[in-house]
Structures are given as C-alpha cells and as structure tokens.
Amino acid sequence: MNVVVVGAGIVGLSAARFIAEKGIEVDVYDSKRFVDEGAAKASGILSANGLGSLKLDYSASIVNSLKGARLHAAGSTISVKSSKVEAHVVDRGLLAKAAERSAREAGASIHLRERLDRPRILQMASERNAVLVGADGAVSNVASAFGFPGIDDYVLTYKAEADVTGPIDRGSVDIFFSNRIAKGLFGWAVPYSGSRVEIGIGVSSAQKITGKRAFEMLVSSGVLGNMHIKKVHDGYASMIPLKRRAITVKGNVALVGDAAGQVKATTGGGIVFGVGCAKILADAVAEAAHNGGSLSSYERAWRKAYGADLRMHRMIHGYYTRAGDRYLGATFSLMRGLGFERFFSRHGDMDSPMRMVKSLLTFGLVG
C-alpha cells in the first residue's frame, strides 16, 4: 500500500509519521518551499497536556508559558489562575519543523514545492492500493475534488505582534468577547514577553467584514484597557472552519485536521484534535493494509474519541456568539459571584469541556 498525504502542516506531517511508523510507505506533498512557510498566520497557544500529546520535541518552539487567563465582556472580567503552567505560546514554524523531522525520521518522504492539482489528485487516488489523505486545510482541494460535504461556518482571523507599554502580565492571556466587534469568535492579547504581545481577532465570515478591518476596530475600541500600543508589526490573515464535515471518508480517501473540520469552535484551535485524529487514521490505514479492509473505521473511531468534546465546543461557541455584550457581561459577573473563577482555576481544560462538565457535577460537593 502507498499513502499520499496532501498538506505538510503539523497535522499532515504527524499523520505521515504515524503511518510510516507502521511500516507503510507514505509520501507528503505541498506547494510550500518550507514546512514553516505561512506558519505565522496562525496563533500558537496550546494546552500543556495537548502539546505533550503531540509526541514531538517541542522545547525549542516555546515562546512563553501561561498559568492563567482573563476573560472580558462588557466591563466584567473572569480571572483564572493556576499554580502550574496550563498552556504554552509556541512558534508554529518551529513546531512544524519538529513535525517534519519526526516524519522524516519515521521514513516518510516529503516533497515540497510540488503542488498537486485536481487531475493529479484524482489520478493518485485511482492507483492500485493507494490511500489519499487530505490534510490541506480549511479550503481543501482534496475535499473539493472528491465531492465531500462542504463546511458553511468559518471565522476570519487577523493577528499581529505589537510592541506595547503598560501593565503586562506575562503569565496570562486576555480574551475579549464582544459581538459588536468580534461576532463569531473573540479578540485576544497573548504575551510573548513583558513588552511584546500578539493581538488578534476572529470574526464570522457571515459578518461581511475582513479580519483586518475587525482588527483595526479592536485596537481602536478601547477594550484592550491600559495596554498602550507603540508599534504594530506585519499582520497575517487566515480562515478557520468551525464545523465538522458530515463525512470524512470516501472509499480510499480520508480527510484530517482542518480539512475535516476537527477544530475547537470555541477557539479555532485544531492542532491537538487534528493530531489525535491523525493517530486514529494511521490505525485505520494499517488495518486496511493488513486486512484488506476500508478506511470506514476511521470515521467511527475519531467521532467516538472526539465527537462529544467537539459538540460541546460548538454549543459553547453558539452561546457566546448569540448573546449580546451586556448579557455576556452580566453572565460573567454572575459566574464570578458563584465561584466559577475558583472552579476554572482548579478544573479548567482548554481541550475537553466534557471533562469540565464532569468536574462541575461534583464541584459543589468537593470544591
């Protein structure tokens, strides 16, 4: 069996590594010159547990470590602070290079500067004993070529690094909810150091506004508080899917990562779930190679493993994107009064809201 992975992002490279580790020949194709090309477009906050689950040497990619977060809405704030590091700010480019090294060491062949157009994608999938994996992002050529169901909910993001002065807590990220300027996601300020911060925003693609324009509104709105921006460096725009595709397997073709919509709707983060699904895909590919079966087990297995959490992320996203700013602010005040700051500090989980729900059921008993 020969496996072709389209897309040399972190998820695609991880899928190639997991498949190669099973002794299966795998080739990765991407039009990029280098695997870290374009990596700066996406923000790089990953939970400490999630980053560890990637099984990569990520130490060189860590820019900063976070123990807390402040969530702001209409003048109300929920502050969450842990006694231990809960998340890391990473250089996505260096993390992509680590994923490339691991894939090559496992035996995967990586072909950069080689774009696969639709005819070649179809031709590769038609070859005997071939498996084609689409790991080519939100606007997936593989998904389009094989008629997979579409994704109709995206956010447009824009982020830039800024030199700032003012009270900067290097150990906490600030999240700004406002459906007036950030409907569909939120704004954020992620500290890199005591004087440099990544400022970004995500807005629903249905808002008919560019991410850059929303970014300008965020910076001029005053919601960033006492943070004074001295200089904004080059910014980057990207698009993130917020829904799972209804189908991610067709015959010998499978989708993974953003191409499959395996993304947390609450934050737009897709690396941790995407890589977890890539592991499941590798198991399905190995089963098909050894037993002559199909890839259908991948569809069932990844939805069983991550479907509940992805649905919960979607529900939470639906709540805060439908609520007005004043209602969100009042909700935050109520939650603070009920002790939710203490709960989130002890039981918060960036990746698994279902785990938090289970903890919440006993919060009043053991808190």
Side-chain angles (χ1 to χ4, degrees), residues 153-280:
D153 194 0
Y154 294 88
V155 291
L156 307 177
T157 73
Y158 192 88
K159 49 153 279 192
E161 291 182 36
D163 297 325
V164 300
T165 58
I168 305 299
D169 179 357
R170 184 171 176 172
S172 292
V173 58
D174 286 281
I175 305 295
F176 306 97
F177 294 91
S178 172
N179 282 325
R180 180 174 56 86
I181 59 174
K183 188 173 179 61
L185 200 63
F186 47 72
W188 64 85
V190 179
Y192 285 10
S193 68
S195 60
R196 179 163 283 205
V197 173
E198 177 193 295
I199 299 172
I201 193 167
V203 293
S204 169
S205 58
Q207 290 302 105
K208 309 301 181 185
I209 183 175
T210 66
K212 184 175 183 180
R213 176 58 186 143
F215 177 87
E216 293 167 348
M217 292 171 62
L218 173 70
V219 170
S220 63
S221 67
V223 301
L224 296 178
N226 296 324
M227 187 185 303
H228 175 66
I229 299 173
K230 295 167 56 180
K231 180 180 180 181
V232 176
H233 299 270
D234 291 341
Y236 301 93
S238 65
M239 185 166 71
I240 301 171
L242 292 185
K243 278 187 179 179
R244 296 162 289 163
R245 290 193 194 268
I247 298 172
T248 59
V249 174
K250 280 192 173 186
N252 63 332
V253 180
L255 305 176
V256 69
D258 281 17
Q262 294 158 342
V263 175
K264 295 184 290 186
T266 51
T267 66
I271 291 179
V272 173
F273 282 168
V275 171
C277 291
K279 293 177 184 177
I280 294 171

Side-chain angles (χ1 to χ4, degrees), residues 278-296:
K279 293 177 184 177
I280 294 171
L281 175 58
D283 290 337
V285 170
E287 181 182 344
H290 298 143
N291 301 324
S294 70
L295 299 179
S296 59

